[in-house]
Every structure is written in structure tokens, then in C-alpha cells.
Amino acid sequence: MRIAVDAMGGDYAPGEIVRGVVDLTSRADFDDHIILVGDQPRIETALIELGGKIGDKVSIRHTTEVIEMDDHPASAVRKKRDSSLVVCGDMVRDGEADGTISAGSTGAAMAVAAMRIGRIPGIERPAIASQMPTLKGRCLMLDMGANVDCTPQNLLQFALMGSVYAEHVIGVPEPTVGLLSVGTEDTKGNELTKATFELLKNSPLRFKGNIEGKDVFEHTTDIVVCDGFAGNVLLKTAESISEMLLGLLTTEIDALGDGILEKVQPVILNLVRRIDYAEQGGAPLLGVNGVSVIAHGRSKARAIGNGIRLTISAAKSGYVNAIKKELPTIAGERRGV
């Protein structure tokens, strides 16, 4: 696989982006190819500071512009044609890369996906899909912020795309779908969720009905569908609560006395691995006619490395073509649940 990495996107670019690439490609079991896209002198300086050299697993694609976090997404994509983010998208569109990942502006990454890579024919709006930690592992939730206003048809397509991705990339056989609402009863919800419920009920997807916020973390279903407003609020709240609880846990254990923290450190580290966003490294933008992964803006080297691994797995899975194949089925008969 050839993965185009936006070396200039994110709070710690290009240093931590380059570090993540160097750490990943130095592993003996890594045999794919990374293309660092961005300002070549700054990338090379970062490499020198790391004391590393790029081998045959890494190459650099020089660009002269950068899309900043405060740039208007669509306007920046149109005007900054030689920015690292736009060039990454063009490489996927033109077949020069099998996937791309960026920790830069989410809005700009979405604009690049829509304006440069393009949507899958028949998909009205792409959606950000994120793996949420649960008591049983992780569930896939979408949309996480790409579309704050949605139609029932949008949410039906999100459910289909999430199901295909879960099966092909995560390895979940026959994934189940839940619709995020304010109650589990069929009649609960606003006009959007009520109309979406009917579409999902009569679709070929394995729809289990409405679920509440608590059900997300109990892993009631493998896929959770909602509009981007609710999804983004839930995601940011969950991240904040996770960080707060880890901080409180560490403080309380440390207060028990010397040596206690060291004894339980393996337990804490295992907990961190289960809930830390850096373990996943990114979230795919489903519905794009190519593999596009969005990483957290504050991603450091470990998150970038894991995000690249996710991008590679997604590219190898062929989920984009699988979505194209399955898209007509949401007008068919309902599959048994």
C-alpha cells in the first residue's frame, strides 16, 4: 500500500508526524510505503532532529502551501492547490496513493474529500466513523461531526456504510445497527429519528431499534447511527470524561502512599489503551470514493503511527468497492435480525 501522509497538518506538525512515520517504518514487519507530503526542507529538518534517514519505505512529495486551522475550508481547498492536504487528496484521486491521512483541519479534509477525491456515486453525504470504547470492546459510531443537519436517507446510508466498514475492516460478522435516540421505544425521538427508524426497519440491515446514550458504551449494537451534531457532542463528552476519570484514578491511587501507583501501573496502562483515542489514530470519512482518514488535531507520534496502520488496513480491505456493491440493497427486503 502507498499512503499519502499530510506532514503539515495538526498541532505538532511536522515533527510528530515525521516521528510517527519513522517509528512505524523502522519496524521489521512494516512493508508498505509512506509518502510524506509537505514542505520538504521542514520535513528533512525534522528527520535530522530525530537522527533518522528515510529508507526505501518513505519518500517525500514537496508542496509549497499549508491549509491553516483558521482558513475557510472550501475556499482554502480552491485557492491552495499546492497545499499538503489538497495534494494528498489528488494523489488518492489519481491513483498515486491508496489512502491518505491528515491531522489538519477536519473541515478542510472533508472539503478535499468532496471536491478533489469525490463521493461514491449514490452517497449523498460522507460521514465520519469513529470507534467508541465499550464494555465489550469498541462499537462504530457515525456521523461524528461531518453533517450536523441530516435527512433520514442520510442516516440510512450511514448505517449501510458503517455496516460494510465494520465487516470488512474491523472484522465484525453480520454487524447490528442501533439508532441513537432519547428512548428505546419505537415511537421515541424527534422527527428525524422517527422517520429514520421506519427506513432502517424496512432495510436489509440488521437493525435492532432505538438505543440510548448509555447503550453505546454497553455495546448494545455494533453500529450506532446519529446525525453529526449528536455524534460530535457525544464524542467530545466521552473523551473529556475518559481523561477526567483517568486523572482522578491516578490521583486517588497516588494518595494511597509510596509504591502503590507502580504496582497498579500495568492496570492503568491497559485501561488507557482501551479508551485512548491515540490507539485508533483516526476516523475514516466513509462515502468518499477513496480511503481518507482524519486524525485528531493534537495527535502525536503514536497516534499518527496507529492512524497510518488504520489507513493501510482500510485500503487493503476494499471497503470502498464493497459500499458501491451494497448500496443498491438498502432498497431491498429486510434481512432477518
Side-chain angles (χ1 to χ4, degrees):
M1 294 287 106
R2 301 158 299 165
I3 304 301
V5 176
D6 176 11
M8 313 309 295
D11 298 342
Y12 302 102
E16 287 295 317
I17 311 299
V18 174
R19 182 187 296 274
V21 169
V22 169
D23 290 347
L24 180 62
T25 57
S26 63
R27 295 174 58 96
D29 61 347
F30 186 85
D31 57 3
D32 296 289
H33 188 82
I34 303 300
I35 307 161
L36 280 165
V37 182
D39 187 322
Q40 186 163 347
R42 291 183 63 187
I43 293 172
E44 291 176 341
T45 297
L47 283 166
I48 292 172
E49 291 174 351
L50 289 172
K53 298 180 180 179
I54 58 172
D56 57 2
K57 298 178 182 178
V58 182
S59 59
I60 299 175
R61 173 75 172 268
H62 178 62
T63 59
T64 59
E65 297 175 299
V66 177
I67 294 180
E68 306 292 349
M69 295 298 289
D70 57 353
D71 284 342
H72 184 277
S75 178
V77 170
R78 283 192 294 266
K79 294 177 179 178
K80 296 184 175 181
R81 298 292 183 88
D82 198 43
S83 63
S84 54
L85 189 52
V86 170
V87 170
C88 282
D90 288 349
M91 292 174 70
V92 172
R93 179 197 64 197
D94 299 336
E96 297 178 48
D98 299 295
T100 183
I101 179 172
S102 174
S105 164
T106 298
M110 289 162 46
V112 165
M115 299 165 63
R116 310 299 295 183
I117 303 176
R119 296 190 301 270
I120 292 174
I123 294 295
E124 296 176 0
R125 294 185 181 182
I128 300 173
S130 181
Q131 292 190 54
M132 300 285 285
T134 72
L135 292 173
K136 301 177 184 178
R138 289 181 181 270
C139 69
L140 187 70
M141 188 168 178
L142 67 166
D143 178 29
M144 305 306 280
N147 310 279
V148 295
D149 295 305
C150 295
T151 67
Q153 185 66 28
N154 294 153
L155 267 59
L156 175 63
Q157 292 185 353
F158 296 170
L160 172 73
M161 294 190 295
S163 297
V164 171
Y165 184 87
E167 189 165 358
H168 284 74
V169 181
I170 306 175
V172 180
E174 299 186 325
T176 55
V177 176
L179 177 64
L180 187 64
S181 188
V182 294
T184 58
E185 296 87 348
D186 294 2
T187 56
K188 285 292 185 72
N190 55 21
E191 293 304 315
L192 173 63
T193 55
K194 289 178 182 178
T196 303
F197 184 96
E198 292 302 316
L199 288 180
L200 288 170
K201 183 178 70 173
N202 293 291
S203 77
L205 303 173
R206 295 178 63 82
F207 182 52
K208 293 294 186 178
N210 289 333
I211 63 171
E212 298 176 333
K214 66 180 181 63
D215 298 320
V216 174
F217 305 101
E218 292 176 1
H219 205 130
T220 304
T221 59
D222 302 308
I223 313 296
V224 179
V225 178
C226 60
D227 62 56
F229 185 91
N232 193 263
V233 170
L234 182 59
L235 173 65
K236 299 292 177 59
T237 302
E239 287 180 348
S240 179
I241 291 174
S242 296
E243 292 176 0
M244 179 192 69
L245 290 177
L246 283 173
L248 290 174
L249 178 63
T250 302
T251 300
E252 292 297 322
I253 292 175
D254 193 41
L256 294 176
D258 295 338
I260 301 298
L261 183 59
E262 286 75 13
K263 290 181 180 179
V264 299
Q265 190 174 40
V267 176
I268 295 177
L269 290 176
N270 187 53
L271 180 60
V272 169
R273 279 191 289 269
R274 290 186 64 178
I275 65 177
D276 188 3
Y277 72 88
E279 283 299 304
Q280 296 301 309
L285 188 57
L286 303 183
V288 177
N289 198 21
V291 177
S292 177
V293 173
I294 298 173
H296 207 298
R298 53 193 174 101
S299 293
K300 291 192 174 182
R302 182 168 66 92
I304 293 299
N306 287 331
I308 293 171
R309 284 186 176 277
L310 173 66
T311 309
I312 292 170
S313 296
K316 287 181 176 179
S317 75
Y319 80 84
V320 173
N321 286 331
I323 290 175
K324 294 177 182 178
K325 181 179 179 181
E326 292 292 328
L327 191 56
T329 67
I330 56 176
E333 296 181 357
R334 184 186 180 199
R335 183 188 308 164
V337 295

